[in-house]
Structure formats: C-alpha cells, structure tokens
Amino acid sequence: MTLPGMPASWTDRARAILDGDLVPAEPRRAATVVLLRERPGGPEAYLLRRHAGMKFAAGMYAFPGGGVDPRDADHAVAWAGPGPEEWAERFGTSAAEARAIVAAAVRETFEESGVLLAGPGPDSVVADTTGDDWEADRAALVDRSLGFTEFLDRRGLVLRSDLLGAWSRWITPEFEDRRYDTWFFVAALPEGQRTRDVSGEADRVTWARPADALAGLKTGELGMLPPTIETLRNLAVYAGTAEALAAAAGRGLAPVMAKPRFEGERLVIEWPGIPDPFGTA
C-alpha cells in the first residue's frame, strides 16, 4: 500500500534500512487503554483527537495512552489481580517490565481521561476523581513532578490489574524516527467514575460505538492510524462490554509492525495479516 501524503523521509529511511545503511530507532515501551462503557446499542469506546501540533499522530483519533515512565514501577505497590510475573508470561517480558507496562496503562488512563483503575481495596475502585485534590495529583503526574508509585502509596490505593485485558501489541515501523512498542488493553469504565476532557494532548474527545467510529473514518470525519482502526474492527463484533473483556484472555500478543518494500522507486508498506489497515474497504 502506498499512502497519500506519505512523508518523503519514509522513502529515504526505508531504503537506507533495507540497504543496511541505517539502524532503526529503538522503540519506547508504551501502553494504551481502550475504555469501554455499556450502552443499549452496544459498547462505546472513548477516543481522543490529538492536537494538530503533536509530533506523533497529530490530528488522529486514538485511545488514552503513552510511554512508560521509569517511575511507573520504581518500587512495588499494592496490587490486585494477575501479578507482574503472570503478566510477564503473557507479554514475553521480564516481571519488572510487565509491572511497568501495566502501571503505565493505569497511569496514562488517569492522566488522559480522569478515570482511575485503582481503589482502596482489592475489590473496589475509587468512586469519584473529580475533586480539586484529585485534579492536582493528575496534573502533577502529567508534568512528572509526582511519580505514579508515590501517588498510589500516598493515597493508600491498590492497583487493579484485574480490570485490564491485554488486547494486542503494535510496534511503530522501523522507518519512522519516533517509535513505540505499545501494548493495547481493554477496560470497562468503573461504576461511579466518568471521563473528563482533561488531556493536554487532545483537542476533542468522544464516546462512539466501534462501528460508528469506523463509519466516521470512511466519511473522513475521524482520522485514525492502523492500530486504532484494527482495534475498533476487532471490538465491533461484541454486543457487550463484558463479552469484549472476556475475549481479551484468548487473544495473541504477537507484535504487529508494518514492513516496507520497494516496487522500483515506489515505497510500498504492508501490515502482515491486515489487508486493509487504513479502513478503505
């Protein structure tokens, strides 16, 4: 597939990588969470449109998420659900890396939507995160003046890893200079909590049924990148949030990464196993 408006740098970088003249940038660990809420017409997913000035995926609709921060797992915290060792087996990583990825998923969700997958005990979640004190902590996490483990410890909170379902793993293509190795999760909006338009990286937020979001993609109303498109396609087949969360346990997490090749001078990009990554069909 040749993409309209494809940056000229992709062609040069892809050729240099294929020729062995350029070492690809090392991808940064990251986590993304698809928040789902139950509605009569089927589950809806929470989407944010990234500011046009962002260096990565500018103007695109995406799910809350971002890079792993070293302080996401700088020490052990109260934890409910599958432990880091169990997540590590699922991810194919070390336990320390797995703990950081799961913690980053919870932190980024709170930073970008105001929803916190943690509670005062292993069977509870915070009922409301809309007060000024919560907002001060959220802002401090965003500007990195507060570490995530410190935040959980200070508030006496238990991280609810059992509320997350690992869904997929995507790695930014080698020919891009900003690269991420991203684990996608699904999670239900906790009862009593509500999303807030708080992300400094987004200029618009919306809830949409996956099928409706994909329809918006085809009309040009919603721009998205392949990981978001394919995730919405996967989720569109489920009639309820519980059904989608249950399906996460059986999903493979083999990384998906676009591969470049050349047809003469023309750069062609293919996503293995995904015949229509940009939802054009």
Side-chain angles (χ1 to χ4, degrees):
M1 174 177 289
T2 300
L3 310 179
M6 186 167 58
S9 62
W10 283 10
T11 299
D12 296 337
R13 290 178 62 86
R15 190 181 301 280
I17 288 169
L18 291 173
D19 290 344
D21 297 329
L22 178 67
V23 177
E26 189 68 24
R28 179 185 176 190
R29 301 282 199 193
T32 289
V33 176
V34 187
L35 279 175
L36 298 172
R37 70 177 183 182
E38 202 68 56
R39 285 296 182 268
E44 293 179 337
Y46 187 67
L47 292 158
L48 311 92
R49 188 176 70 180
R50 293 171 61 82
H51 281 297
M54 296 294 293
K55 292 182 179 179
F56 184 81
M60 297 289 106
Y61 278 86
F63 310 113
V68 172
D69 185 286
R71 292 180 298 169
D72 286 333
D74 56 6
H75 66 265
V77 295
W79 188 288
E85 293 78 11
E86 189 172 341
W87 283 108
E89 186 174 350
R90 183 98 163 86
F91 295 162
T93 65
S94 69
E97 288 176 309
R99 185 172 67 182
I101 292 164
V102 171
V106 176
R107 175 183 53 76
E108 286 285 345
T109 302
F110 181 51
E111 287 183 9
E112 298 200 348
S113 73
V115 170
L116 183 58
L117 303 176
D123 300 313
S124 62
V125 291
V126 173
D128 184 10
T129 64
T130 58
D132 290 344
D133 59 333
W134 285 106
E135 179 56 24
D137 278 351
R138 192 199 65 79
L141 287 168
V142 171
D143 67 22
R144 299 297 182 260
S145 60
L146 176 65
F148 188 58
T149 54
E150 179 188 353
F151 163 71
L152 293 175
D153 285 346
R154 193 177 70 195
R155 286 189 171 269
L157 294 174
V158 179
L159 186 149
R160 292 289 307 277
S161 91
D162 55 322
L163 299 181
L164 291 167
W167 193 259
S168 59
R169 179 185 176 189
W170 291 73
I171 301 178
T172 309
E174 291 183 335
F175 49 78
E176 292 205 43
D177 54 358
R178 294 175 65 88
R179 302 185 64 217
Y180 295 90
D181 183 353
T182 307
W183 276 262
F184 280 65
F185 299 86
V186 291
L189 178 68
E191 186 174 351
Q193 292 193 37
R194 59 185 185 271
T195 54
R196 309 197 307 280
D197 185 1
V198 293
S199 175
E201 297 181 357
D203 60 11
R204 182 179 296 177
V205 299
T206 187
W207 284 96
R209 292 172 57 245
D212 293 339
L214 292 170
L217 171 72
K218 289 189 176 182
T219 63
E221 182 183 356
L222 279 71
M224 303 176 204
L225 294 177
T228 307
I229 297 168
E230 186 66 10
T231 300
L232 290 170
R233 278 176 174 159
N234 296 160
L235 290 168
V237 304
Y238 298 106
T241 297
E243 185 182 352
L245 293 174
R251 291 185 56 85
L253 298 180
V256 180
M257 185 175 70
K259 299 290 185 182
R261 63 181 176 85
F262 280 88
E263 292 181 355
E265 296 299 311
R266 186 170 70 102
L267 172 62
V268 178
I269 303 170
E270 298 175 331
W271 275 260
I274 304 176
D276 183 27
F278 281 88
T280 56

